[in-house]
Amino acid sequence: MSDRVMTKADIEAAEHLQHAHVEPKDFLSRYVFSIDHKYIAKQFLWAGLLFLLFGGLLAMLIRWQWAFPSQPVPLVGKALFPNSGGAITPPAYSTIFTTHGLIMIFFAITPIMIGTFGNFCIPLMIGARDMAFPKLNMYSFWVFMVSQLLMIASFCVELGSAAAGWTTYPPLSTNVGTPGAGQSLVVLALFVTGISSIMGAINYITTVIRFRAPGMTWFRMPATVWGLWLTAILNALFVPVLGSAGLLLLFDRTFGTQFFVAGAAGGIGDPILFQHLFWIFGHPEVYILILPIWGFVIDFMSFFARKPAYWYKGSVYAMISVSVLSAVVYGHHMFVTGMSPLLGQAFMLLTLVISVPAEILFLNWLHTMWKGSIRLTVPMLFALGTVFVFGLGGLTGIYLATISTDLYLHDTMWVVGHFHLTMASAAFLGSFGALYFWFPKMYGRATNETLGKVHFWFSVIGVTAVFCGQLIAGYNGQQRRLFDPFQYTYIKHLRELNKYTSYFAFALGAGQLAFVVNFFHSLFAGKKAEKNPWDVGTLEWTDCESPPVYHNFDRVPIVLRGPHEYNNPEVLAKLGKDWVGQSEQLPGEDIGIDAIAAE
Amino acid sequence: MSAAATDHEHALVYPDEPIYSRITAGKLAMWLFLLSDGFSFSGLLLSYGILRGSSQVWGCTTEAIAKTFGCIEEPALGINFTALLTFLLICSSVTMVLSHASMVEGDRKGALKWLGLTVAGGALFLVGQCWEYWGLFGLFGPHHGLIHEGLKFGATHYATTFYCVTGFHGLHVLTGVLYLSAVWIGTAMGKTDANTLEVAGLFWHFVDLVWILVFTFIYLIPN
C-alpha cells in the first residue's frame, strides 16, 4: 500500500528535527506563557467561548428590541440602560448590533475555529511535535488578548463602543458619524487582532509545509488540515489589507487626515475607497470562516459514515478553487454602491462560479453518506446540521450574487439571514461539532452524549428558525439595522413574524445552557476518555494518548495511508475491524524500511 | 525550557520527496511574512492610486497651479536627493548579498564587514529621510525640510499619502536596521549561520524593492 520507499535516515532525520520539547515545570511557562500548541489551543478556546457568550447576549438584546421595541429589557435592562427605564436606546442599539457582529467574527469564531482547532489539530494530525515556531504561537495568543482588552475597554469609555455597523463604513465611522474613543478603540482592536492572525497564519502555513511526518503526503492529510491551511493562507494575504484600511481610518479619526471624510462631512476624501479596501479583505474573510468547517465536515462525514470520503481529492481541489475565487468576487458587496455595469457583471459571474466548487463539496458529502453505516454521534449530528444550514445559506446567496435581485434585497434582513446561515450558523455548528469531537483528546474526558444531543437540537432548530425568519422578513422588505422596524407602515405587518423569530432566538440562547453544563461537568467529572473513542484512523487518535503527552508523539509516526480508510475489505479480513490507522502497519505490509535494512 | 526547544532551524533531510521541500522553516516563514507585508503596502499604494486618480490637483507645487485652482502652495518633492537615497539603498542590498556570500564561504569576518556596511547604509537612508522631512538641525537654514516648507500632514491627499507611504516604509527600514544589527551582534558572537543571513537578507531586499516602487509611484510619476 505504501507508494514510496523510506530510508532509515529519513526517520532518524525526522526524529532529529522534531526533538521532544522538555515540559516546563514553573507555573508561568506552563499555564500562562505556554509554548505548547495544545495549551495555546485551550487558551484560545476559553477566550473565544467567553466572547461567544458576550456576542450571543448582545444578539439576544437585538432580538428583544425587534420583538418588543422600546420596552424595558427583563432582568438586565435596569442595570444596562438606567436612563431609559431599562429600554434599549437608539445609540445603545447601534452599539449593540455593531459590536455583536465584530465580536462574533473577530473575537469568537476566529479564536475558536482557527485559534483553537488550528493550534490543536494541525500538529497532531500531521504528526508533528509542535508548531514550527512555538514562541510565535504564544505571542500570537497574547497579542490577541491585547486586542480583546481593547475591545472590552471600548465599552468603558464615554459615548460607548463602536456604533457604525460591523463593516465600519465611513463617513459614519469617522468622527462626524461616530464621535468618541470607543469606535477608535475598536478599529485599533481589529488592527491588533489582525497582527495576531497573521502571526498565527505564518506559523500554520510553515508547519504544514515543513513538519508533516514522513509519509504524510499532501493527499494523505486529513481534510481538516487542508481547510485550516487554506484559511491560514487567506489570512496571511488579506488581513494586511484590512490593517491598512484600519490604519487610515484611525488616522482620520485621530490625526485629522481626510482619507475617507467626504460629502456632508465636508472633507476631501473618498468613502468608497474604504469599501474597496474593506471588502478586498472582507470577502476572503467569509471563506476564512467557512473553510475550516468544510474540512471538519469532509472528515466527519467519512469518520461517521464509516466510508472513505467520496472523491476526497475533488473536495480538496474544490476548497482550493474556492480559496482562489474568494479573492476576486468582493465587488458583489458593492453592487448598489455605484459600479460600472460591466464590472458588476464580472463580479456577478465570478461569484456565481463559486457555487460550482461548493456544489462539488456538497455532493461529495452526500455521496460519502450514501449507503454508509452512519453513526449519529454528537459530532456527526453537528456536521449534518452544518451541511443543512450551509445548504440553505448557499441557496439564498444566489439571489444576492445576481445583480437584478440584489438591487431589491440589498441591505434587507434577507442579507442578514443569508450570511448568518452560511457564515455564522455553519461556523457555529461546525465549531461545536469539532469541539465535541476533539474534547476527549483535549481534556482526556468524554462529554455527555444526551446533553450534547439536547444542545444540538436546540441549536440547529434555533438557527434555522431564526435566520429563516429573517430571510422572510427581508424578502418582505424589512431593512437591516432598523431600531424600530414597525414604525414604517410597510413593515408593520411583520411584527408577529419578528416576535416569533425572537422566541426561537431566545430558545436558541437558552439551549446553549446544555453546552455550558456539559462542558463544565465533563471537564471536571466526565468519564475518562479512551484513546480512540470514535474508532478513527487519524494520528491524534491512533498515536496519542487522551490527552496527548507534552511532546505529542514518543516516536514521530510513519504515515502509510490516507485518513479515510473505512470498511476496506482487505483491512476487514486482516485486522477484523472496519478502520485502520494512518500509521498502522497491516500484517505483512511492506513499508519500505525493512527492505532497505535487508540490503 | 531548554534553548534547543524552539530551535527548528535545521535543514530538513527527511523524506527525500519534492513535496516536503528543503527550505528551512525560518526562510519559508520570512517569505510568507513578506508576501503578507506586500499586501499591506498594496493596501496603502492602492489608496494612494485611487485618491490621486480622482484628485483634480495633485501637489499644488507651483504658483501657476495655486492660482488656477485656488489651492495653498506646497513644496515639490526633491527627486534628485531621493534618487541619491534610492541609490544608497540599492548599494546596501549589494553589500547584503556580499555579506551572505562571505558567510557561505565561511568568511565570518568578511560577512561582518559587509553586514556592517549594510546597516550603515540603512541608517544613512533613515538620516536622509529625516533630513527630507525635518531638515538637518537648521544646518541649511531654519526653514529647510518638507514639514517646514509647508507640506502639511492632513492638509491634502498629496501631503498625507506622501507621509503615510514613505513613513510606513521608513518604519520598515528602521525595523531592518535593528534586525540587521541584532544579526550583526549574533554573527560577531558566532551564533549565526548563512541561513540566518539569508533570511535577514530577504527582509532587507524586500524593503529595498518596495522602496523602488514607492519612489516610482510617489516621486517619479509626473503630474
Side-chain angles (χ1 to χ4, degrees):
Chain A
M1 281 173 102
S2 168
D3 52 13
R4 62 174 302 280
V5 175
M6 217 162 318
T7 65
K8 272 216 154 71
D10 288 341
I11 292 147
E12 273 160 23
E15 287 288 340
H16 170 68
L17 173 90
Q18 308 222 359
H19 35 219
H21 292 179
V22 185
E23 188 169 1
K25 291 279 178 285
D26 60 306
F27 180 82
L28 274 184
S29 45
R30 210 179 155 127
Y31 297 111
V32 185
F33 301 108
S34 175
I35 57 160
D36 175 23
H37 73 101
K38 300 182 290 298
Y39 195 79
I40 296 171
K42 291 177 194 173
Q43 289 176 314
F44 269 116
L45 179 68
W46 284 86
L49 284 175
L50 282 174
F51 268 71
L52 184 69
L53 176 69
F54 190 5
L57 292 175
L58 291 171
M60 295 299 122
L61 289 177
I62 304 174
R63 282 312 327 181
W64 176 265
Q65 171 65 20
W66 286 345
F68 310 102
S70 302
Q71 288 179 32
V73 182
L75 304 175
V76 291
K78 285 262 161 22
L80 290 178
F81 317 103
N83 298 330
S84 57
I88 299 172
T89 58
Y93 170 78
S94 298
T95 299
I96 290 168
F97 75 73
T98 301
T99 49
H100 162 71
L102 290 170
I103 283 175
M104 283 301 201
I105 291 172
F106 293 102
F107 301 101
I109 302 180
T110 306
I112 291 178
M113 209 168 58
I114 302 170
T116 304
F117 296 111
N119 263 315
F120 191 77
C121 297
I122 290 178
L124 285 174
M125 289 184 120
I126 63 173
R129 284 188 168 147
D130 204 332
M131 284 285 178
F133 308 104
K135 271 193 180 160
L136 183 69
N137 208 9
M138 182 259 282
Y139 295 140
S140 166
F141 174 73
W142 286 100
V143 170
F144 175 73
M145 278 311 276
V146 171
S147 76
Q148 282 202 328
L149 288 176
L150 286 168
M151 189 74 203
I152 293 172
S154 76
F155 284 91
C156 308
V157 297
E158 212 177 342
L159 299 178
S161 187
W166 86 273
T167 49
T168 325
Y169 278 180
L172 190 56
S173 60
T174 62
N175 284 329
V176 185
T178 316
Q183 181 79 43
S184 303
L185 280 171
V186 169
V187 176
L188 187 63
L190 296 187
F191 186 83
V192 176
T193 204
I195 294 172
S196 157
S197 288
I198 295 166
M199 287 166 133
I202 289 174
N203 211 348
Y204 295 180
I205 303 171
T206 311
T207 306
V208 172
I209 295 178
R210 297 300 284 132
F211 282 75
R212 279 169 292 141
M216 182 62 87
T217 58
W218 285 102
F219 283 106
R220 281 180 185 169
M221 283 200 314
T224 298
V225 179
W226 266 107
L228 290 162
W229 187 67
L230 291 168
T231 299
I233 292 176
L234 290 181
N235 254 332
L237 295 185
F238 295 108
V239 169
V241 183
L242 176 74
S244 51
L247 202 62
L248 299 185
L249 185 60
L250 270 181
F251 283 168
D252 274 8
R253 294 187 58 86
T254 45
F255 301 126
T257 59
Q258 299 191 324
F259 283 106
F260 307 124
V261 188
I268 51 171
D270 183 359
I272 309 292
L273 171 61
F274 183 87
Q275 293 193 18
H276 282 289
L277 292 177
F278 182 82
W279 288 115
I280 287 175
F281 151 80
H283 200 80
E285 170 71 13
V286 306
Y287 289 99
I288 286 168
L289 298 178
I290 197 65
L291 276 164
I293 301 300
W294 287 351
F296 299 154
V297 172
I298 296 168
D299 278 345
F300 291 176
M301 287 294 153
S302 165
F303 293 164
F304 295 111
R306 313 307 292 172
K307 272 179 65 190
Y310 185 87
W311 198 26
Y312 169 63
K313 278 192 178 181
S315 299
V316 169
Y317 284 130
M319 289 204 284
I320 295 172
S321 33
V322 167
S323 307
V324 174
L325 282 170
S326 75
V328 291
V329 299
Y330 80 89
H332 65 223
H333 295 271
M334 297 167 64
F335 284 152
V336 301
T337 299
M339 178 185 280
S340 134
L342 190 63
L343 200 58
Q345 279 184 16
F347 277 125
M348 172 174 95
L349 194 70
L350 285 165
T351 307
L352 291 172
V353 165
I354 286 199
S355 48
V356 176
E359 279 316 302
I360 290 175
L361 278 167
F362 218 89
L363 289 174
N364 285 353
W365 296 332
L366 299 184
H367 269 119
T368 307
M369 280 189 286
W370 181 251
K371 293 188 175 173
S373 7
I374 295 174
R375 296 182 181 176
L376 285 179
T377 58
V378 179
M380 180 59 166
L381 284 173
F382 273 95
L384 290 169
T386 308
V387 172
F388 177 65
V389 294
F390 184 75
L392 273 179
L395 288 173
T396 53
I398 294 171
Y399 304 96
L400 295 170
T402 313
I403 298 175
S404 46
T405 38
D406 181 63
L407 293 180
Y408 294 93
L409 295 170
H410 185 87
D411 259 352
T412 62
M413 294 299 292
W414 177 278
V415 179
V416 180
H418 159 71
F419 72 71
H420 274 94
L421 280 169
T422 37
M423 185 176 91
S425 302
F428 174 79
L429 294 177
S431 297
F432 273 118
L435 187 54
Y436 282 108
F437 183 74
W438 278 293
F439 188 92
K441 193 51 74 179
M442 283 177 127
Y443 289 102
R445 290 182 188 272
T447 54
N448 183 306
E449 187 96 6
T450 317
L451 278 173
K453 284 181 179 167
V454 170
H455 179 214
F456 166 72
W457 285 110
F458 266 96
S459 297
V460 77
I461 295 174
V463 293
T464 310
V466 172
F467 302 125
C468 285
Q470 296 188 342
L471 287 173
I472 298 167
Y475 190 74
N476 282 292
Q478 180 178 336
Q479 268 143 340
R480 69 193 286 198
R481 294 176 177 168
L482 293 180
F483 171 67
D484 177 3
F486 316 112
Q487 58 184 307
Y488 301 96
T489 323
Y490 71 102
I491 307 180
K492 243 180 194 148
H493 69 288
L494 298 176
R495 181 182 280 260
E496 287 301 298
L497 172 69
N498 275 279
K499 201 180 277 179
Y500 281 100
T501 308
S502 287
Y503 289 145
F504 275 108
F506 300 145
L508 167 65
Q512 304 311 307
L513 277 176
F515 169 75
V516 176
V517 171
N518 197 354
F519 185 76
F520 283 102
H521 182 263
S522 307
L523 205 56
F524 297 112
K527 209 169 73 208
K528 209 175 152 8
E530 299 155 43
K531 186 178 178 188
N532 188 357
W534 314 110
D535 295 338
V536 295
T538 46
L539 295 176
E540 83 276 28
W541 298 106
T542 55
D543 287 54
C544 295
E545 294 306 316
S546 300
V549 290
Y550 191 77
H551 52 272
N552 294 353
F553 303 98
D554 285 333
R555 289 203 58 83
V556 171
I558 310 293
V559 179
L560 301 169
R561 54 183 64 78
H564 305 129
E565 292 289 337
Y566 299 98
N567 274 309
N568 181 328
E570 188 189 344
V571 174
L572 276 171
K574 282 186 174 165
L575 299 179
K577 55 180 187 170
D578 71 343
W579 62 278
V580 58
Q582 284 193 269
S583 62
E584 193 176 353
Q585 196 175 348
L586 290 174
E589 183 180 16
D590 174 18
I591 62 169
I593 295 166
D594 295 339
I596 286 161
E599 275 175 28
Chain B
M1 187 196 79
S2 71
T6 51
D7 174 21
H8 284 161
E9 280 302 301
H10 308 287
L12 256 192
V13 283
Y14 83 90
D16 196 9
E17 278 182 19
I19 55 153
Y20 292 97
S21 81
R22 285 175 187 279
I23 187 171
T24 60
K27 196 159 129 191
L28 178 60
M30 180 53 84
W31 272 111
L32 291 168
F33 169 72
L34 296 181
L35 204 62
S36 189
D37 206 18
F39 270 73
S40 58
F41 268 108
S42 329
L44 291 181
L45 287 173
L46 192 69
S47 311
Y48 166 80
I50 289 178
L51 290 174
R52 180 167 181 168
S54 58
S55 285
Q56 240 188 338
V57 191
W58 194 258
C60 204
T61 47
T62 62
E63 231 183 293
I65 301 178
K67 261 196 188 141
T68 320
F69 294 97
C71 50
I72 302 161
E73 210 177 315
E74 294 166 305
L77 304 175
I79 293 182
N80 291 340
F81 178 68
T82 319
L84 198 69
L85 289 183
T86 310
F87 180 67
L88 180 67
L89 211 53
I90 293 172
C91 288
S92 79
S93 255
V94 175
T95 54
M96 186 70 233
V97 172
L98 291 172
S99 170
H100 174 240
S102 304
M103 199 66 170
V104 170
E105 286 166 7
D107 175 10
R108 196 169 278 273
K109 270 196 177 150
L112 277 173
K113 180 184 75 184
W114 291 117
L115 191 60
L117 281 172
T118 313
V119 172
L124 213 56
F125 178 89
L126 282 175
V127 172
Q129 209 171 15
C130 289
W131 188 351
E132 187 189 18
Y133 279 23
W134 290 288
L136 215 58
F137 308 114
L139 215 62
F140 299 92
H143 296 298
H144 197 72
L146 290 170
I147 290 175
H148 302 302
E149 289 166 23
L151 193 68
K152 202 166 149 265
F153 182 75
T156 59
H157 290 320
Y158 169 72
T160 313
T161 53
F162 167 78
Y163 287 120
C164 280
V165 177
T166 57
F168 192 57
H169 179 267
L171 279 178
H172 277 74
V173 178
L174 181 64
T175 312
V177 167
L178 294 176
Y179 177 20
L180 290 183
S181 303
V183 173
W184 192 91
I185 293 168
T187 310
M189 290 163 76
K191 282 182 178 169
T192 59
D193 54 16
N195 182 59
T196 321
L197 260 74
E198 196 181 349
V199 173
L202 280 174
F203 181 77
W204 193 249
H205 298 317
F206 171 79
V207 171
D208 191 12
L209 177 74
V210 167
W211 176 254
I212 290 172
L213 293 175
V214 170
F215 181 56
T216 310
F217 288 129
I218 306 268
Y219 291 85
L220 292 185
I221 295 178
N223 262 323

